Amino acid sequence: MFQGSMVALVTPMHPDGGLDWEALDQLVEFHVKNGTDAIVAMGTTGESATLNESEHCEVIKRVIRISNGRVPVIAGTGANSTQEAIDLTRCAKEQGANAALLVTPYYNKPTQEGLYLHYKAVAEAVDIPQILYNVPGRTACDMLPETIGRLSKVPNIIGVKEATGDLERIEPIHSLSEDGFEIYSGDDSTCTDFILQGGHGTISVTANVAPRQMHEMCVAAMAGDSEKAHAINEPLKLLHRDLFLEANPIPVKWALYEMGMIAEGIRLPLTPLSEMYRSAIKDAIGAAEVNQEK
């Protein structure tokens, strides 16, 4: 259902932490103009963990309204409580999201059977396409390919965002999953090779800063043009690396602030980017030769 460069959109905030609706509208327009293939609202990069449920749903609603069908919207609706994940996913469906992205339950470290039953419960409760999201570096919970394969057989579950950075997981996920099950990279540093090896696209942090290049790289990679895809990706490598010098989304929000696109707002316990890393982010933006239409 989805392919290409899907931006894990930041949530703009004022310096006091209040949501900046005008900047959010401008970011959506920015991605429409620059070829982003889908917008993921309220994922990890959108600071979903620091917004309350009302704000969470309002951001999803706003992104859907401003995008106005010009680009698909995938709503981040995962939680470490199954009932909360159901509630957020129901909100996304009511607002008109094209799909939901659900991170593995964090902190409580469920078993593989617990993961299976969690996702199955959400899929059965809310009739909307759902994408699994495996990012053990943040959740302390690794959803194994065998569990992903089981879940691929559940109606509504259409794909997985695999953010381990381990390219060797692509083949077993493919082989264990139902035909048509989609696999997306969640690791910018390896996403070019991920797509060349059979992935359907990337849910990207870098796409916040360089949406046109990420879109063009994905087009080339999905066409099997390895030389062109790697050539487009080469100037982006510093961004892929340095946007994680501190916990995401700290660096990417500062990069967008430096580019004049959002205010320097972020919510505790996250803090603005440390001074020691700011020159590196500036250099990464320069190396990427970011030339987007604002």
Side-chain angles (χ1 to χ4, degrees), residues 1-226:
M1 292 184 64
F2 308 98
Q3 63 179 10
S5 176
M6 293 165 272
V7 64
L9 191 71
V10 305
T11 301
M13 298 173 184
H14 297 291
D16 64 1
L19 300 182
D20 187 341
W21 300 110
E22 182 178 354
L24 180 63
D25 296 352
Q26 291 170 353
L27 285 183
V28 172
E29 294 294 342
F30 174 64
H31 285 286
V32 171
K33 289 177 182 176
N34 286 286
T36 292
D37 297 291
I39 295 175
V40 178
M42 282 286 88
T44 303
T45 310
E47 290 176 80
S48 55
T50 70
L51 274 67
N52 63 40
E53 188 170 323
S54 175
E55 291 173 321
H56 192 121
C57 291
E58 189 61 32
V59 170
I60 292 168
K61 179 181 179 179
R62 185 83 171 214
V63 171
I64 291 168
R65 181 169 69 82
I66 300 303
S67 62
N68 195 28
R70 294 174 293 170
V71 59
V73 176
I74 301 168
T77 61
N80 62 349
S81 158
T82 302
Q83 187 57 54
E84 183 180 354
I86 290 171
D87 292 343
L88 289 171
T89 305
R90 187 170 287 126
C91 167
K93 176 180 171 59
E94 290 170 353
Q95 298 305 329
N98 298 98
L101 174 71
L102 294 103
V103 70
T104 53
Y106 42 86
Y107 186 76
N108 47 24
K109 300 175 73 171
T111 64
Q112 296 300 306
E113 183 65 14
L115 288 173
Y116 174 77
L117 293 173
H118 167 82
Y119 281 111
K120 181 172 181 286
V122 180
E124 290 175 346
V126 190
D127 184 17
I128 186 176
Q130 295 173 25
I131 300 169
L132 315 172
Y133 177 13
N134 188 41
V135 57
R138 293 194 75 119
T139 64
C141 174
D142 186 6
M143 183 163 48
L144 300 178
E146 292 79 8
T147 304
I148 295 171
R150 287 180 71 193
L151 286 166
S152 74
K153 299 171 175 60
V154 176
N156 302 349
I157 297 179
I158 64 162
V160 63
K161 175 183 176 182
E162 175 61 34
T164 61
D166 183 359
L167 296 174
E168 293 185 0
R169 293 179 75 131
I170 301 172
E171 192 282 326
I173 292 173
H174 266 307
S175 65
L176 293 167
S177 298
E178 292 288 286
D179 289 346
F181 188 74
E182 299 180 348
I183 306 175
Y184 311 113
S185 170
D187 178 68
D188 282 322
S189 292
T190 58
C191 67
T192 300
D193 288 322
F194 189 102
I195 298 169
L196 286 165
Q197 293 181 30
H200 296 87
T202 180
I203 297 177
S204 168
V205 176
T206 298
N208 280 281
V209 177
R212 185 167 298 281
Q213 289 102 312
M214 288 299 295
H215 166 74
E216 292 173 350
M217 181 280 292
C218 287
V219 170
M222 288 187 296
D225 191 337
S226 177

